[in-house]
Amino acid sequence: MTMFHASTEQLELIDSFTRPLEELFAPARLHKSESDYGQWVTGAEFGWFGISLPEAAGGIGLGMVEEALLFEKFGRHLVTPGFMAASLAAKTAYLCGDAALAQQILNGELPVAMARQGAPGAGVTLVDAASAKLCLVLSPQGTALFHADAVVERQPLDAAQWSIPLQSARLAGNAAAHAATQKIGADVNLLLAAQLTGIAAATLDMAVSYSLLRQQFGAPIGSFQAIKHYCTDMAMQVQAAKDMLSFGAVAVAEARDDHRFQAASALVVATRAAFFNTAKNIQIHGGMGFSAECDAHLYLKRAHVLDTLAGGLKASRAALRRETSIFGKDAA
Amino acid sequence: MTMFHASTEQLELIDSFTRPLEELFAPARLHKSESDYGQWVTGAEFGWFGISLPEAAGGIGLGMVEEALLFEKFGRHLVTPGFMAASLAAKTAYLCGDAALAQQILNGELPVAMARQGAPGAGVTLVDAASAKLCLVLSPQGTALFHADAVVERQPLDAAQWSIPLQSARLAGNAAAHAATQKIGADVNLLLAAQLTGIAAATLDMAVSYSLLRQQFGAPIGSFQAIKHYCTDMAMQVQAAKDMLSFGAVAVAEARDDHRFQAASALVVATRAAFFNTAKNIQIHGGMGFSAECDAHLYLKRAHVLDTLAGGLKASRAALRRETSIFGKDAA
Amino acid sequence: MMPEMMPEMMDESPDDFRARARRWLRDNVPTEHPPVDGPESRAYALAWQQRQFAGGWAGLTWPRAYGGRELPVLQQIAWFEEYARAHAPSTHNALFVGMNHAGPTLIACGSDEQKAFHLPKIMQGDVIWCQGFSEPNSGSDLASLRTRGEVQGDELVINGQKIWSSYADIADYQELLIRTDPASSRHHGLSWVICPMDAPGITVRPIKTMAGPAKFAEVFYDNVRIPLANIVGGLNNGWKTAMATLSFERGTASLALQISLSQRVEELIAACDDVALGETLMDLRADAAALRAMSYQFAIKSESGPVGSEGSMIRLYFAELAQRVARVAIDIFGIAAPEVLAVHGLGYDYFDAYSETIAGGTAEIQRNIIAERVLGLPRGSR
Amino acid sequence: MMPEMMPEMMDESPDDFRARARRWLRDNVPTEHPPVDGPESRAYALAWQQRQFAGGWAGLTWPRAYGGRELPVLQQIAWFEEYARAHAPSTHNALFVGMNHAGPTLIACGSDEQKAFHLPKIMQGDVIWCQGFSEPNSGSDLASLRTRGEVQGDELVINGQKIWSSYADIADYQELLIRTDPASSRHHGLSWVICPMDAPGITVRPIKTMAGPAKFAEVFYDNVRIPLANIVGGLNNGWKTAMATLSFERGTASLALQISLSQRVEELIAACDDVALGETLMDLRADAAALRAMSYQFAIKSESGPVGSEGSMIRLYFAELAQRVARVAIDIFGIAAPEVLAVHGLGYDYFDAYSETIAGGTAEIQRNIIAERVLGLPRGSR
C-alpha cells in the first residue's frame, strides 16, 4: 500500500524511543547550562545518532520517517543541534564509504558540532562546539565533514543571549573535508524542519496550558477571544508543519520523485510556524513570558539558531524555488 | 508660528465647502451608474477643480492643505478620479503658462480623465474617460496633459467589475502634450493619498456602525473581541493615514525641504490603510459585505483603481525610496 | 444507466488508477468554459456530471448499494488531483451541495428510502441541490435560526426565510434546516429536511455578489408543505444532522479546490518576475503543499473512524490561503488583467476569494470552534 | 543649582532653538555607552540628567514655579528630535519613570508641597523613580490589584507585592498604587502613593529578562509605613491619578523613542541590499513618518486641553512598529551581528522589543480600551 504519512506504529515506536527526553532534556535545564555536551554519550547510547543508518553500519536500521519524528521530539526538548550534526555527519561518512568514521561518530567517540556557511569562502556560524572533535558544515554546496580544528578564528558570541554557545568563525583555507556529499540535502531540510516543528508544537502546548491557568478579569485568559484566536492560529501552524513534515519524510523515505520539493516545503512551513508560535507564546505569557525565568524565550532563541543553520528563511525559500512542484505547468 | 497640521479653521472651511457631497455623491449611487460625469459641471461650479490655484487664475486661492482635505472627502464619497484629473490638469496647464487652458478646465468646459502609464511607450490604464476631452497621464516621468484623442486603441474592461469605467489603451505615438511638468509629483501623491485616506476612514465608520447594529449570539458583534480588535486596527490605520496626510500637506504647502518625502510617505501609508480597511470592512459585514447591494465592495474596488493610478504600491514604495528622510544618516 | 465497469478496476495499482483517470480526463474534459450562473450553469453542470458518471468516475467513495464505487478515499484524492491537473471544471459548481453536502449527509443519516431515491439522482447528474441553513439574522450563529416548520398530520408547514443559498434559483432540492419544536431554543428542536424547490409557496430571489454572478439567493417560504418523510436523521434532531454535513464540508469536500490552488500558485510562480513577490510565492507554494499534506492526513484518518474538528482547521487554512493567493495574483497581474477576475469559476477570482472567510461560518467563528473543540479552551462570550 | 538661562530663549525662533539644541548636544552627549542595569546605570543616568539640567534642557514643558521652562510642547518635540539625531542616551533609562510618569502626575495631581519637594529633585537628576502598579495576579487587569494600605493614624501600613517595577533596585522613590479601602473592589478604593524605597519592610528582587539586563524587579512590602501626606490626588482616588500617569505614558512620553525609531529605520535602509526586505523597509519608513505625524498632532491637541485615549493608539502603533523594525533588523544582520542585540539601550534590542506589546498593558488590552473609549464599541467580556 502506498504510504503518505507516518503510521501509528512509527509514532508509537518513536514515543517509546524518546522517553528519556522528559527527564534528561527538560527545556528548563537551559536556564543553568547552555550546552548539552554533557549528555553526548547518553545520546550515542540511545542510538539517537544513527536511527536511519543500517544496523550493519552501526545504526538502528529505521528510516527518515522515524528520524524526522525523533528530531521533532528533539525540537520540543531543545536538544542541541549537535545531535543533528552527529546524525548527518555519520550519514555523510557512511555515504562516502568511511564506515569506520561513521562508527566512531555513532559510538559517541567523536562529538560533532554544526556550522553554517553562507557561500564558499564566507565565514561560518558555529553552534555549541566547545567539546566537538568534528564539525559538519552546511552550505549551498552540500554537507561537508571537517576536523574541528579546521574551523579557525573563532569569536565567541554571548552564549547567554541565545541560550546556546555560538561562535562566528572561518574555515581554514587549507582545510580538507573528511567526507562531503550533495545527496542529503532533503535529509538536512527534514531534520531542521522537524526540530522547528517540535518548537512550534511545544510552544502551542505551553500557550494553551497557560491560557487555561492564568486568570485575568475573573476568568482564564483562554476564554477571551483574542487569546483563543492566537492559539488557533498557532494550532494551524502546528498542524501544517507536522503534516508537511510527516508527508515530506515519507516522500524522502520512499524516494519519491517529489521528495526534495516536499522536504524544502517542510522547512519553509516549519520555520514560519516556529517563529510565529514562539513569538505568540511570549505575548500570551505577558510579563512572565518576557522574563528570563520562563522557558518561552528559550524556544524563540532556538528557532533563530536553527533558522541560521538553515541559512535563513530567504535561503530556504530559494532552495524551494529550485524544485519543481508536481502541480507545475509542465507536469500535466 | 510654524504649522505642522491642518488647523481647525481649515477643517471647518472644507467641511462647509463639501456639504453638497452628502446629497450628490452618496456612495450607493455607484450601484446604478458607475460614472460621475453627469456631475462634472456641478464640480466645476463648486470650484472643486481649482482650490489651490490663485484666484487670478480662476481658482479658489487656497492651498494644498485645503485641497488634501477636499480630496479626503472625495475619497469618502468615491467621487470619480476625474475630479483629481481636472485639478492636476488645471495646475499643469497653469504651471506651463497656459492660463486659458487652465481656465477652460476650471470652468468645466473640458472634462478630464486620468490615465496611468507604467513606463515610456507602455500601455496606459484609463479611468472613467467616456466624456473626457482631455487626458492627464501620470507616469514616472511626471504629469502630462493630452487631448483625449491621443489615447487610442481603447479596450474597455468590464465596468461592473470595478464600479467605474476602465479601459486599457495606448498613447498615440505622435501625441504631443498640451502641457507637462515634473514639479507636481508631491501634489499627485497627496491627492491620491487623500482619497485613499477617505476610503479608509469611510470604511472604518461603516464597520463601527455595523458592529454596533448587527446582533449575533444575543449581542452586538462589536462587543466581541475579534471585531473590536479589527475595528481598532482599522482606526489606527486611519489615524496614521490622516495625520500623515495632514502633516504631508502642510509640508507641501509650506514648501518644506522634506515635503516630497512626507507626501510619498502619505501615499504609502494611505494605500495600505485603504486596502486593510476595505477588506476588514467586508469581513465584518459578513455575507452582507460580500453582496453587491452593500457599499463595502465599492470602497475596495475604488482603492484598487486609485492604487493603479498611483502605479501600484510597489511603485509608491520605490518613489519613497528616492527621497531622503530628515532622519537619514547624512542629516546629522 | 450503469457506469461503465472496468474489469481491472478491482485490483489495479494506484499508479494504474491515476493513469486511467488521466487518460479519461484528457479525452473528456469539456473545452468550453462553464457559465457562471443561471440556467446555463445548471445545464453545463448536469451534463458534466452525467459524463463523469457514465465514465465511472462519480461517487468514488459512495456506497456500492446506491451506485457508488466504495473506493478508498486516497483513490478519491488521486482522482481530484488528476482532475485539477486536467483543468476540469471547478467542483465548486452547482453540483457542489449535492455531491459534497447533501449526498454525504444522506449516506450518514438518511433512511434507506431516502438514499435509494436521492443518491443515484445526485451521482448521475439528474438533480441540483442547494443549501438552506443561513438566515438574515443567523449568519455565523446558526443555532439562532427561526424559520419554522409546524407538524400538521404527516406534513411540515414551513414559514420563514433563508439567505446565502447557493444556486437556489436552479436547484431541484434544498437541504433545509428549520425549527420544528416551537418551544425550543438554540440547537435543540431543529430538523434537517429535504425540500423540493418546486413546492408551492417558495419564492427565490437571487443575490448578486461583489464578484458579479448571482450564485446566491434568498429563499422565502410561505406555508410550504413538505411530507414528514422528508426529514433526515429524525424530527428535532437536525443539529446533529447538520453538523455531519458541515464536517464533510470542512474536511474533504474542498479537496479538488485545494489541489487546484496549488496549481494556481505554480501558474503565478511562472508568471512572476518580481523578487519580493517571488518570496511571498514560495511561502504560498510551501503552504499549498502543507494543505495537501493536511488533507491527505485528514482523509487517511477519516477512513479509520469519525474525525473531529480538525476539518475546520483545514477549511480555514484553505480559505486564508486562497485569499493570499488571490491577492498576490492581483499584485502580479494588475486589475486590468483577465487572469485576475472571473477565471471560469475555478475559485481564482480575486473578488470571490473574499467570501472564503465568510461563507459557511466566518473565520472568527471557525477560530472559536477550533479553540474550544480542538484545543479545549473554555467557552467565553464570543 | 539653577539652569543656565540664555537671554535669547524668550523670543528665539523655532529654528534658532533647534540650532542651539543641536550645538549643545554635539558638545555634551556622552561618548561612553550607558550601562544596562545596576548601580552603574543609576550613576550614569543621574549624571546625564544633571548635565542636561545644567544646560537648561530639563523639564522643558514643566512649570516655571518648580524650575521648569514652561515651553510649548512643540519645542519639547524639537528637542527630542535633535536629541535622537545626536544619538544621545535613550530616554528609556532609569530616569524614565521620574521624568515621564511620576513628574507629570505630580504636576497634574500633586499638592504644592509634593511638587516643591519632588519636581526639582527629578529634574535636577538627584533621584530615580520606579513604578509600582502591576502585581503577579494583576497584569493587564490593573483594577484587580490587591496590595493593601491600612490607614493607621497619619500613616499607611502597606503589605503586598508588586512586579515588573523597572529600576526598583536602584530607585529612591516609587509611584505605588495600592488598595486603601479594604471593602472596595475594582478601580474604587485605590490610592496613588509616593513610596520611599528605603522604607523599612521593602524587599526588592530583580528579575532578569529574556533580553538579559535585570531592569525589572519584584517588590515585597512587609508592614511598610508611609505618611498619609505621601498620597497624591487624595485617599481612595488613586485610579484617577493613575490614569493621568498612563495617559502621559501613552501620549508623548515615548516621543524621543519614536523619533529614534525613524533613525533606526534609516540605518537599516542604508545597510540593506535585499530587494524584498527593501520593500518592507519602505513601509516601515512611511509608518515611522506617520508615527511622527501622529505624535505632533497629539502634542498640538494636548496643548489646547486634555486629550482622550488617542494616546493609547499612538503607544500601540509605536510598540508594533518597534517590533517590526527589530524583526527586519535581525533579518538583515543575522543573529551573530552586534547591530541586533543590546544596542546600548536605544530600544533597538531585538529581544527587548518583545516587551513593547506587553509592558504597560498588553496590546490586546490596549485594543479593547481603544475600541471602547475611542470608537465607542460596547464593553463585552474580554
Side-chain angles (χ1 to χ4, degrees), chain D residues 323-376:
Chain D
Q323 286 182 343
R324 288 159 60 209
V325 171
R327 178 71 223 197
V328 172
I330 204 166
D331 285 342
I332 292 172
F333 294 120
I335 67 173
E339 289 90 343
V340 165
L341 293 185
V343 242
H344 322 308
L346 280 171
Y348 302 158
D349 181 303
Y350 168 66
F351 294 139
D352 242 352
Y354 280 88
S355 72
E356 292 291 354
T357 50
I358 296 171
T362 63
E364 295 71 41
I365 299 303
Q366 297 300 322
R367 285 197 157 77
N368 287 351
I369 290 172
I370 295 165
E372 290 162 17
R373 301 203 197 142
V374 182
L375 302 178

Side-chain angles (χ1 to χ4, degrees), chain A residues 11-33:
Chain A
L11 290 163
E12 284 168 359
L13 177 70
I14 294 303
D15 270 351
S16 69
F17 197 57
T18 54
R19 213 157 285 147
L21 284 172
E22 293 299 330
E23 192 193 328
L24 299 176
F25 292 86
R29 76 192 183 283
L30 297 180
H31 297 305
K32 298 196 193 97
S33 161

Side-chain angles (χ1 to χ4, degrees), chain A residues 46-66:
Chain A
F46 282 123
W48 286 343
F49 303 160
I51 186 167
S52 67
L53 284 184
E55 289 181 69
I60 304 288
L62 296 166
M64 276 312 291
V65 177
E66 290 84 355

Side-chain angles (χ1 to χ4, degrees), chain D residues 105 108-110 133 151 156 176-181 184 186-193 231-245:
Chain D
T105 305
C109 311
F133 283 15
V151 181
L156 283 170
L176 180 59
L177 192 61
I178 50 175
R179 190 164 299 282
T180 42
D181 177 357
S184 67
R186 304 297 300 162
H187 51 280
H188 305 285
L190 305 175
S191 295
W192 196 106
V193 180
I231 294 173
V232 174
L235 185 69
N236 297 336
N237 196 31
W239 183 259
K240 210 176 149 197
T241 312
M243 287 302 106
T245 313

Side-chain angles (χ1 to χ4, degrees), chain C residues 17 60 70 164 168-169 173 200 258-259 278 320 324 328 355 366:
Chain C
F17 176 84
L60 291 179
E70 228 167 289
W164 310 123
D169 56 329
Y173 294 98
Q258 294 171 19
I259 288 156
E320 298 187 336
R324 288 159 60 207
V328 173
S355 72
Q366 296 300 323

Side-chain angles (χ1 to χ4, degrees), chain B residues 49-64:
Chain B
F49 303 161
I51 185 167
S52 66
L53 284 184
E55 289 182 68
I60 304 289
L62 296 166
M64 276 312 290

Side-chain angles (χ1 to χ4, degrees), chain B residues 214 230 283 292 301 304 314, chain C residues 136 208 210 274 350 357 364:
Chain B
R214 170 75 171 171
Y230 286 168
Q283 180 70 21
K301 291 172 179 177
H304 276 290
K314 192 182 167 62
Chain C
K208 277 185 77 81
M210 63 179 276
D274 180 85
Y350 168 66
T357 50
E364 294 70 40

Side-chain angles (χ1 to χ4, degrees), chain A residues 154-272:
Chain A
R154 299 188 186 188
Q155 298 291 329
L157 302 163
D158 185 356
Q161 288 178 331
W162 296 100
S163 302
I164 195 166
L166 282 183
Q167 294 167 307
S168 65
R170 204 173 57 69
L171 253 183
N174 57 354
H178 292 308
T181 181
Q182 299 190 313
K183 287 186 190 154
I184 60 169
D187 302 52
V188 171
N189 287 348
L190 277 184
L191 296 196
L192 287 163
Q195 291 169 88
L196 289 159
T197 299
I199 286 172
T203 43
L204 167 65
D205 292 350
M206 254 186 97
V208 170
S209 300
Y210 191 73
S211 301
L212 288 165
L213 193 73
R214 169 76 172 171
Q215 305 263 331
Q216 291 278 272
F217 303 99
I221 60 171
S223 66
F224 306 139
Q225 218 180 16
I227 302 294
K228 268 185 192 165
H229 289 193
Y230 286 169
C231 289
T232 299
D233 289 342
M234 293 171 77
M236 292 208 296
Q237 296 281 326
V238 169
Q239 189 81 21
K242 280 184 123 163
D243 285 350
M244 187 69 244
L245 176 69
S246 163
F247 199 84
V250 170
V252 171
E254 309 229 315
R256 287 216 309 263
D257 287 348
D258 59 346
H259 74 277
R260 286 206 314 273
F261 173 86
Q262 303 295 350
S265 290
L267 180 54
V268 169
V269 171
T271 305
R272 285 158 50 233

